[in-house]
């Protein structure tokens, strides 16, 4: 059994009741309009674009839809994040809510600095601290514009 969606061309009433093939009068509250088949189409998210330091472009372009969501938050300036340990004006957000993958960004310009694979906290391992330091050293370097379109990441 297929369920169709119909909307009245006069009053705008919508229904999903099963109707046999043909032309239908609305009849809602005495309306003399006709029901027409329609499809709810999800609207794509608008493009988001922002700056990524050149040294991070490769690691960011290799990302997936979850990383695209995190980048969209930074590019749209809705990401607050937490300060990166031992830094000034550098915040990080957990990619996909996973504390093991962190996206670091300039909290003033919202320029993406790169990714750190590992939980960032005051007592983090030396390996993670070194990786975070390497990414934070990109602060103020040259940038490239990237675009998020749907779940894909591309150069702008």
């Amino acid at each position: 059994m297929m369920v169709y969606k119909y909307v009245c061309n006069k009053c705008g009433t919508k229904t999903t009741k099963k109707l046999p093939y043909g032309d239908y009068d609305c009849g809602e509250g005495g309306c003399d309009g006709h029901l027409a088949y329609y499809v709810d189409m999800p609207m794509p998210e608008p493009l988001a674009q922002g700056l990524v330091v050149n040294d991070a472009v490769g690691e960011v372009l290799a990302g997936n839809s979850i990383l695209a969501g995190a980048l969209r938050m930074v590019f749209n300036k809705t990401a607050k994040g937490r300060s990166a340990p031992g830094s000034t004006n550098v915040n990080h957000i957990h990619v996909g809510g996973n504390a093991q993958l962190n996206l670091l960004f300039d909290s003033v310009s919202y320029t993406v600095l790169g990714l750190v694979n590992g939980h960032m906290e005051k007592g983090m391992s030396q390996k993670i601290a070194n990786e975070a330091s390497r990414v934070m050293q990109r602060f103020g370097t040259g940038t490239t514009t990237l675009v998020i379109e749907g779940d894909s990441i591309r150069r702008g």
Side-chain angles (χ1 to χ4, degrees), residues 89-113:
N89 294 335
V90 175
N91 282 6
H92 72 282
I93 57 173
H94 300 156
V95 176
N98 179 356
Q100 296 302 312
L101 184 59
N102 300 281
L103 181 65
L104 278 66
F105 62 97
D106 176 340
S107 61
V108 176
S109 70
Y110 286 83
T111 300
V112 172
L113 302 175

Side-chain angles (χ1 to χ4, degrees), residues 41-42 49 61 63 66-67 73 81 89 91 105 109 116 132-133 136 142:
M41 297 293 291
Q49 67 179 23
L61 284 175
I66 297 169
L67 179 58
M73 289 172 54
N89 294 335
N91 282 6
F105 62 97
S109 70
V116 172
S133 175
M136 286 185 279

Side-chain angles (χ1 to χ4, degrees), residues 14-87:
K14 293 183 179 181
T15 182
T16 56
K17 65 184 174 185
K18 185 176 185 300
L19 298 170
Y21 183 79
D23 223 3
Y24 299 98
D25 293 329
C26 175
E28 183 74 27
C31 177
D32 62 353
H34 297 283
L35 295 175
Y37 177 72
Y38 78 97
V39 177
D40 278 332
M41 297 293 291
M43 296 300 292
E45 290 192 61
L47 295 178
Q49 67 179 23
L51 298 176
V52 176
V53 296
N54 293 334
D55 287 346
V57 169
E59 64 195 45
V60 170
L61 284 175
N64 58 19
S65 63
I66 297 169
L67 179 58
L71 287 168
R72 183 181 299 278
M73 289 172 54
V74 174
F75 292 169
N76 290 339
K77 298 182 174 149
T78 57
K80 299 245 187 281
R82 299 181 180 138
S83 62
S87 70

Side-chain angles (χ1 to χ4, degrees), residues 132-141:
S133 175
R134 178 184 56 80
V135 171
M136 286 185 279
Q137 287 174 8
R138 297 171 177 171
F139 193 91
T141 61

